[in-house]
Amino acid sequence: DWVKLYLGKRDGRHVLNYNQFTQLMKGLQGERLRQAFKYFDTNEDGFITPEQFKRIITDLAGHKLSEPVIERLPTLCTLSPGQKISFSEVQAFINVIRDMDMVERVIREATSKSKDGRIDQTDFLNYSAAATRYGLFSPMEAAIIFHFASRGDPAQQRLSLLDFANLLDPKWRSPADVEATHVKPKRGFLDSFFQSAYNFALGGLAGGFGAGVVYPIDLGNMQNQRSTVVGQLLYKNSFDCIQKVFRNEGLRGFYRGLGPQLIGVAPEKAIKLTVNDLVRGRATDPETGRITLPWELIAGGSAGACQVVFTNPLEIVKIRLQVQGEAAKLEGAAPRGAIHIIRQLGLFGLYKGTAACLARDVPFSAIYFPAYAHLKKDVFGEGYHGKKLTFGEMLMSAAIAGMPAAYLATPADVIKTRLQVEARKGQSTYKGLIDCAQTIWREEGFRAFFKGGPARVVRSSPQFGFTLVAYEYLQKVRAYSYGCDYGYDYDWC
């Protein structure tokens, strides 16, 4: 009777063309489902047993389902009372399989826009209704999707993308089965050491590149001038500072202190990136790949705190080399080298101003790293449908993230600079962090805390942008590899 709907009953002379025949074949599965259900529903009460349902689905669509889902097919009877399965449930299950591509799309997009990376049935239906013109999925179909994704656990109401893997991917296997078939090769001490050294070298090269590009606009000269000391107001603004440094010291004046800066960049960048990644990795939900904002701030702040071990000695030597050029010209003193400054300061002197350095680097990194991560993901869409950022998008993300971080950390940087620079005759000396802040406020006012703020933005934003882009591209050119890392890299992921 069903075939005659396509061929007609009269004379039996209706010949199907190609398009008509393919449409018949497309409807064949639905008719097979209807007749199979009718065959098993012997008492015509509208229900079949769970095992009969499993047999129908295995025959019709077993190749589209993973083994764990096939094994759990009989559990569909738990969705309604009576321990049997109705035709509406069978039809709903087939609809889910038929529209699996749309199911995956809705799940991916809904979880990506969820705050915690998880969704429940209501979220699924709401997003489906908004994303499809006619509300493609019914409440029963949503219940079936979540039943198999949660593996029948009623406590799991909100699921992550990873939870849906067993339903979306026909080749899915449980992590325990994957681990049983793969034995990871043990990595020796030397290999781990060489990998760490390799990453350290890449971070040093990238950091040196970023520091060298923006070093001429560093601002130790500008931040150190005391506006209340007669004859010590050397620069009216950043542009005046640039003109006078070039006129009095030439091009070399813009690169005073670059050597210590480059020497300190490698451990600084390595520690900052490593600590941030380590804390973020520990705090990230392994199923959703999400991390809460407080933990993002903690990760960034921890990275900034750890880097001070290297940055404080680097900063104090760099600043004293920078400011001595103009002062030496005014006072008739000969410029001194980095070695002389280190010997003069001693080990403890190299960590003068550490509290101010912490007050600058901790909030800077706490602002910068979360802003960078959210710009890449939320603004430029990294990872959305497998998207990888272009050179320009990555550079923009890093540069924009550095703007608020650099400017808001300027007061601490001004205090740090004042504490670390050797005071000249007639200038105020500071007993510590609090005394320095109070003295600046009393003698120079609130605006003094943001001296060189725009220049910090101009320097820090491109520096971090060029550093991170250089690091990414260095890894692409030659990535460190060892053996084969086995993981749960499913085709759907």
Side-chain angles (χ1 to χ4, degrees):
D1 291 338
W2 175 76
V3 173
K4 288 178 181 179
L5 294 174
Y6 290 87
L7 297 178
K9 298 181 180 180
R10 194 171 185 178
D11 300 331
R13 299 293 298 271
H14 186 177
V15 178
L16 301 180
N17 61 28
Y18 176 76
N19 289 343
Q20 292 171 332
F21 176 74
T22 54
Q23 194 63 38
L24 180 150
M25 294 304 297
K26 184 176 181 180
L28 181 60
Q29 293 293 73
E31 181 61 18
R32 286 185 62 193
L33 173 67
R34 187 187 69 82
Q35 292 196 25
F37 188 91
K38 185 177 180 180
Y39 175 81
F40 287 119
D41 185 17
T42 53
N43 57 3
E44 297 184 352
D45 62 352
F47 292 97
I48 59 175
T49 66
E51 290 303 323
Q52 290 169 340
F53 166 71
K54 180 179 179 180
R55 178 177 171 182
I56 293 174
I57 298 301
T58 303
D59 289 344
L60 291 179
H63 61 289
K64 298 181 180 180
L65 302 172
S66 64
E67 286 298 327
V69 171
I70 292 175
E71 291 176 3
R72 296 191 60 254
L73 284 174
T75 64
L76 188 64
C77 66
T78 60
L79 292 183
S80 57
Q83 297 299 308
K84 287 191 175 183
I85 298 173
S86 67
F87 182 74
S88 60
E89 291 170 322
V90 178
Q91 187 64 57
F93 188 89
I94 288 295
N95 290 346
V96 169
I97 298 175
R98 183 190 63 201
D99 296 321
M100 191 62 75
D101 289 341
M102 184 58 70
V103 171
E104 180 175 352
R105 175 186 166 186
V106 171
I107 290 172
R108 281 186 180 276
E109 295 185 1
T111 53
S112 68
K113 295 183 178 181
S114 171
K115 291 183 179 180
D116 60 354
R118 298 175 183 272
I119 58 173
D120 56 21
Q121 291 186 40
T122 302
D123 296 328
F124 176 86
L125 288 171
N126 289 341
Y127 191 86
S128 171
T132 58
R133 181 175 297 179
Y134 301 111
L136 188 60
F137 300 104
S138 68
M140 179 175 287
E141 290 163 356
I144 289 173
I145 292 170
F146 277 77
H147 170 74
F148 285 98
S150 66
R151 304 184 192 182
D153 184 359
Q156 285 189 286
Q157 299 295 325
R158 297 183 62 80
L159 306 180
S160 67
L161 178 61
L162 191 62
D163 293 320
F164 294 95
N166 70 102
L167 182 63
L168 298 176
D169 184 10
K171 298 183 292 296
W172 186 87
R173 290 184 296 164
S174 67
D177 294 336
V178 175
E179 288 179 349
T181 56
H182 293 301
V183 179
K184 292 185 179 181
K186 291 185 178 180
R187 306 183 69 169
F189 170 79
L190 285 178
D191 181 72
S192 299
F193 173 79
F194 285 128
Q195 182 178 16
S196 300
Y198 183 78
N199 293 334
F200 187 89
L202 290 185
L205 289 173
F209 175 74
V213 168
V214 302
Y215 191 80
I217 56 176
D218 208 347
L219 39 122
N221 286 319
M222 188 65 193
Q223 287 184 335
N224 183 57
Q225 67 172 352
R226 320 293 177 91
S227 58
T228 60
V229 180
V230 177
Q232 292 296 330
L233 186 59
L234 302 179
Y235 317 112
K236 298 176 182 178
N237 50 49
S238 296
F239 294 105
D240 183 53
C241 176
I242 292 171
Q243 291 175 350
K244 288 185 176 179
V245 169
F246 182 75
R247 183 172 62 248
N248 294 313
E249 303 177 63
L251 188 63
R252 292 183 60 185
F254 292 105
Y255 287 93
R256 286 188 180 276
L258 179 60
Q261 175 79 347
L262 295 180
I263 292 173
V265 156
E268 173 199 339
K269 299 302 180 188
I271 285 182
K272 177 181 284 191
L273 295 172
T274 301
V275 172
N276 179 69
D277 289 344
L278 178 64
V279 178
R280 286 182 71 96
R282 295 282 185 179
T284 298
D285 189 326
E287 293 186 352
T288 63
R290 300 292 183 89
I291 179 173
T292 61
L293 182 59
W295 274 110
E296 286 187 293
L297 297 174
I298 292 172
S302 300
C306 292
Q307 78 174 63
V308 172
V309 175
F310 290 93
T311 55
N312 203 84
L314 163 72
E315 289 280 329
I316 193 169
V317 174
K318 179 196 72 172
I319 289 171
R320 294 201 174 193
L321 286 171
Q322 283 180 324
V323 301
Q324 71 175 347
E326 189 74 29
K329 188 173 182 65
L330 291 175
E331 300 172 5
R336 296 165 296 181
I339 301 299
H340 175 84
I341 294 173
I342 293 172
R343 288 176 177 174
Q344 181 187 38
L345 290 170
L347 178 61
F348 292 104
L350 288 172
Y351 285 92
K352 185 177 182 180
T354 299
C357 201
L358 284 169
R360 180 198 64 176
D361 291 341
V362 170
F364 177 91
S365 297
I367 295 171
Y368 178 78
F369 282 110
Y372 175 61
H374 284 281
L375 280 167
K376 288 198 301 179
K377 181 180 179 182
D378 300 334
V379 176
F380 294 103
E382 183 184 38
Y384 190 67
H385 292 308
K387 178 184 177 181
K388 295 183 179 179
L389 297 188
T390 63
F391 175 90
E393 290 172 333
M394 189 182 302
L395 186 60
M396 285 291 291
S397 299
I400 295 173
M403 291 179 182
Y407 193 76
L408 293 175
T410 300
D413 195 46
V414 171
I415 295 172
K416 176 194 70 66
T417 301
R418 297 290 182 88
L419 290 171
Q420 291 181 336
V421 170
E422 184 178 5
R424 298 194 294 272
K425 185 177 180 180
Q427 292 182 337
S428 301
T429 57
Y430 309 112
K431 299 178 182 178
L433 179 68
I434 303 299
D435 178 63
C436 180
Q438 292 175 341
T439 303
I440 294 173
W441 178 281
R442 183 175 60 253
E443 294 182 354
E444 303 174 58
F446 176 76
R447 293 182 62 183
F449 288 106
F450 288 91
K451 282 184 178 180
R456 266 185 61 81
V457 172
V458 172
R459 177 183 69 89
S460 297
S461 294
Q463 179 181 359
F464 277 90
F466 284 116
T467 298
L468 291 173
V469 171
Y471 186 71
E472 294 283 346
Y473 276 85
L474 283 171
Q475 287 186 318
K476 291 179 181 178
V477 170
R478 183 61 180 172
Y480 186 90
S481 60
Y482 173 80
C484 178
D485 288 332
Y486 297 106
Y488 314 132
D489 186 17
Y490 307 113
D491 291 341
W492 68 273
C493 192

